[in-house]
Amino acid sequence: MPSALENLLAHSRQTVALSQVSMLISWDQETQMPPAGATIRAEQSAALARVLQERRADPRIGEWIDAIDLAALTDVERCNVEEARRIHEHAVRIPADLAGELAHAASRGQQIWGEARKRNDFAMFAPALKHMIALRRDYAARLARAGMSAYDALLDDYEPDTTAAEIEPLLESLRPALTALRERIAGKPRGPKLMGRFDRREQFGLSRRIAKLIGYDFGAGRLDLAVHPFSSGSPCDARITTRTDDADPFGAIYSTIHEVGHALYTQGQADPFLLSAEYSSMGVHESQSRFWENQIGRSRAFTGVLFGMMKESFGDFGIADADTFYAAVNRVETGFIRTEADEVHYNLHILLRFELERDLFAGRLEVEDLEEAWNERFERDFGRKVTNVSDGILQDVHWSEGYFGYFPTYSLGNIYSACLDKAMRADMPDREAMIASGETAPILEWLRERIHRKGRLYPPAELIERATGEPISPQPLIDYLNDKFGALYGL
Amino acid sequence: MPSALENLLAHSRQTVALSQVSMLISWDQETQMPPAGATIRAEQSAALARVLQERRADPRIGEWIDAIDLAALTDVERCNVEEARRIHEHAVRIPADLAGELAHAASRGQQIWGEARKRNDFAMFAPALKHMIALRRDYAARLARAGMSAYDALLDDYEPDTTAAEIEPLLESLRPALTALRERIAGKPRGPKLMGRFDRREQFGLSRRIAKLIGYDFGAGRLDLAVHPFSSGSPCDARITTRTDDADPFGAIYSTIHEVGHALYTQGQADPFLLSAEYSSMGVHESQSRFWENQIGRSRAFTGVLFGMMKESFGDFGIADADTFYAAVNRVETGFIRTEADEVHYNLHILLRFELERDLFAGRLEVEDLEEAWNERFERDFGRKVTNVSDGILQDVHWSEGYFGYFPTYSLGNIYSACLDKAMRADMPDREAMIASGETAPILEWLRERIHRKGRLYPPAELIERATGEPISPQPLIDYLNDKFGALYGL
């Protein structure tokens, strides 16, 4: 007869396999599904979400866990049991109907968001958003433990073991540093903007070559086009998407590098079905994507390599040399779009969303007033008026899918990635020369060893501290930005 | 409180949605999945198969059905309840573990078959096949009611309400007619073989245009490449695949038309989630694919249209006129490959497989002797020695996935399609002129009304009889073949 641990692991393994199926049909929805499929995909997603919810709430899980002698387990085994317990305790609070409704609303909401964004019409999206927020409020109320805010309950899904109150000072400490840096840069001569048209098919081919160069395994993944780039999947099948724009090849390139960063983490998991091998938190996940995108992808060394690849792909595109190209990649400019933001502005975009999300779930803000609230605060933080709602509140897919509490993990990711970068530079003094020669495998291996293969063995902050030898802090990010942009702009 | 009927329908609706997910991940495996994904896909498929099996065996289904007053239902409602009962009674006999193992073995088996076929090595595939047959024997033993053979139990999954003993005389009655026709044709001058190379990308584009021409809705489907062409999905998302071969554009074209025939049936279902709206049987499904492939696609009228499209795609390809092209499309030749067989030989390929399958499940034949048995019987039926196992027993994917009892439904489909063709010609005397002008919508509508929208309301034989006004019989097929090839070969 199998032991309680064996029963628990076998059950969990199948649940993980089913959750991979759930990710796969979302990927299909974004990349392959014909238009009419939308009418049934929402029901398919909902049916699978219900199944997952029921499985995770299965009372046998509690019985198996009670029968396990935790003291007799290895660290990895104990981690699997603790994760199974956490997921189970979460699931018993959420009825399968609510899980199904959330999945249904996410699938439909995303479709409506896509349409509304195309038509530049927030009112078209508002009812779906209102419905999603109502479902998420219900969801949060069921999850919140005593004294926990609704927002913290949501945050817990993405960044366990932390609260908005802990995150806020970390993130807010970036604001004065970033605005001061922006002030110092203002008026200084900047790198040029890319001009002209860049063949989209060639952008896609170049994206593939870059992904390969930095270690993405196409034998265990694939690259497709999607409206909103994302990565999803599991170690043996970690898929990524990008998007192309005639006028802006950097969109395709840096979206690709960002998603490759996520996928390298996934491809590096120690096991495809063990909970202990899964990613530590969304903040840590974003630390991987942002690290490859910024600390590597936007470095002087890497942009030197990229400049050569761009010339091979597009011929002369009006940039004279690698230094000018580096300045073009890192051109600082106040723009409307988060995903296109430079490193100086990026976290200010997140702070705005973080603020609005907390207001929505504290009952201080309703959907009716959201567009105005966005536009007001955007002007306050960025000094520009939003005239196009697709460049304003309709720019991100996240809320349409019910991802509230997700945005701050991007800034946590930036903070973590700078911590990792500082430690890696100390370990690898010749890193820039290595990158310049097109060699990034040792960088990947450094991350594999310290982050990817560790899975969920430690809470996010501990994982980063073990990897870097120092407690997490926003200072490495502030130093990195001041150093980089100080040098670039001669401050 | 919802009624028992409402509960049953809601539960069934979700099960259907999950079975659509299961089809989707199989489609993905064949068309999109990166190689390493194979290692986890089998577990994902198995997990989903278990879930489906458990849902279908849910004891509440029996309780709901018992509480329903069948006499008070509409025909459609009663059909849904009866279908739910049939599926439930089937499911309670199959443990979820066995369902999971079968799905796992199918996913793995297909991968191994693909490798073995590539390497032309039956021994490489034999263990997987042996394992699958053992699982299917167990499965059949659990399903077989008193006095039912194992093979009939398998057949029941594809062609309900019939037995091998009923099918055998139908199919065997074709053998003397087909061999006599083959004899009469032998030695007569045949249409030419296509020569030269045909650009594969252009073949794919042409396949798309043909699919569109005969009514396939790309808004509710898509066409991709796969090793073994297939169709799968649901009314709003019915996907098809084809394959291309430099030397043989007919492969791509007629695989596409065949799969479109299936997909038109699916796209024409009255409802995406009701059991009553699903296809009547695999024989009826094949009647749709074979009808479009042969009675329409290989007709003089349609090949006239196709000849023009081929010239547009490939320029002059060495065929002088539409009559010669018609003869080329319908060139009769003894070949090894079922899917490439002409209409005279096709059912002889099926008869061989039907015979071997029954022997395997009657315990008269084991996997060890299968390759030899195949080769022996092939030489007996076709007069040619199999020298290449990939052109012999390794040519079909079906057995690797555990589809035993499926092959005879192809010949049933041919018989049904000829019955439908006879009735349609009587209803539509100007059909050939219509096809020649590129108009096929009334043909589709004739099938939609009589077959597609009827779903599962009647057993297969009754459905065909209602559509045609005559009981099913092999005679229309024999007459059709004698007429067509008699005229073509001047017999």
Side-chain angles (χ1 to χ4, degrees), chain A residues 254-270:
Chain A
Y254 285 97
S255 289
T256 300
I257 299 176
H258 180 96
E259 302 308 337
V260 166
H262 283 301
L264 291 176
Y265 190 6
T266 306
Q267 289 182 336
Q269 279 183 215

Side-chain angles (χ1 to χ4, degrees), chain A residues 13-15 17-18 20-21 24-25 27-28 31-41 43-48 50-51 54-55 97 201 217-222 224 234-239 272-273, chain B residues 13-15 17-18 20-21 24-25 27-28 31-41 43-48 50-51 54-55 97 201 217-222 224 234-239 272-273:
Chain A
R13 193 178 169 89
Q14 281 181 47
T15 309
L18 290 168
Q20 290 168 350
V21 172
L24 185 67
I25 71 171
W27 172 85
D28 181 87
T31 59
Q32 311 292 331
M33 188 181 75
T39 56
I40 56 168
R41 181 54 54 86
E43 292 220 24
Q44 295 166 348
S45 299
L48 196 51
R50 271 165 203 272
V51 166
E54 280 166 359
R55 279 189 74 85
D97 277 353
R201 191 171 289 193
D217 176 4
F218 276 96
R222 48 180 291 143
D224 293 86
S234 41
C236 311
D237 189 357
R239 305 185 183 185
F273 295 116
Chain B
R13 192 178 170 90
Q14 282 180 47
T15 309
L18 291 167
Q20 291 167 350
V21 172
L24 186 67
I25 71 171
W27 172 85
D28 182 86
T31 60
Q32 312 292 330
M33 188 181 74
T39 55
I40 57 168
R41 182 54 53 84
E43 293 222 23
Q44 294 166 348
S45 299
L48 196 51
R50 270 164 203 273
V51 166
E54 280 166 359
R55 279 188 75 84
D97 277 353
R201 190 171 289 194
D217 177 2
F218 276 96
R222 48 181 290 142
D224 294 85
S234 41
C236 310
D237 190 356
R239 304 184 184 185
F273 295 115

Side-chain angles (χ1 to χ4, degrees), chain A residues 85 95 105-106 116 118 124 146 199 208 210 225 234 242 267 292-293 325 331 339 350 369 371 380 464 478 484:
Chain A
R85 187 207 301 276
K118 222 183 284 168
M124 186 181 169
D199 181 70
R208 277 190 67 93
I210 293 169
L225 291 172
S234 41
T242 190
Q267 289 182 336
W292 285 99
E293 181 187 351
F325 184 72
R331 180 182 160 92
T339 56
I350 299 299
D369 306 314
E371 185 178 359
R380 180 200 67 195
I464 301 295
I478 294 168
K484 172 172 179 175

Side-chain angles (χ1 to χ4, degrees), chain B residues 135-172:
Chain B
L135 290 173
R136 277 290 173 203
R137 281 177 180 160
D138 180 12
Y139 177 86
R142 289 168 190 274
L143 287 181
R145 295 178 294 272
M148 198 178 191
S149 75
Y151 189 75
D152 280 348
L154 298 175
L155 186 60
D156 199 53
D157 279 354
Y158 308 115
E159 201 67 17
D161 307 306
T162 192
T163 62
E166 283 170 358
I167 291 177
E168 192 183 350
L170 268 178
L171 266 55
E172 281 294 346

Side-chain angles (χ1 to χ4, degrees), chain A residues 345-417:
Chain A
H345 284 95
Y346 188 91
N347 295 294
L348 296 173
H349 288 276
I350 299 299
L351 278 162
L352 181 142
R353 288 155 178 78
F354 182 41
E355 209 175 64
L356 290 172
E357 285 187 342
R358 279 177 297 161
D359 285 354
L360 280 169
F361 283 86
R364 289 189 296 263
L365 182 61
E366 293 299 329
V367 170
E368 287 75 9
D369 306 314
L370 190 56
E371 185 178 359
E372 204 189 320
W374 177 290
N375 293 350
E376 253 177 45
R377 295 182 204 201
F378 190 86
E379 198 174 349
R380 180 200 67 195
D381 292 353
F382 294 85
R384 292 182 67 177
K385 260 196 198 318
V386 176
T387 52
N388 195 334
V389 69
S390 294
D391 295 339
I393 191 163
L394 282 182
Q395 70 181 268
D396 292 307
V397 70
H398 303 59
W399 290 347
S400 77
E401 295 186 271
Y403 293 169
F404 297 96
Y406 189 106
F407 280 118
T409 71
Y410 287 113
S411 285
L412 285 177
N414 287 329
I415 290 170
Y416 297 162
S417 69

Side-chain angles (χ1 to χ4, degrees), chain A residues 93 143-149:
Chain A
R93 292 161 175 258
L143 287 181
R145 296 179 294 273
M148 197 179 193
S149 75

Side-chain angles (χ1 to χ4, degrees), chain A residues 75-91:
Chain A
D75 284 355
V76 171
E77 285 168 344
R78 195 174 314 111
C79 176
N80 277 295
V81 174
E82 291 300 346
E83 273 302 300
R85 187 207 301 276
R86 194 182 60 77
I87 293 167
H88 176 65
E89 287 175 356
H90 184 294

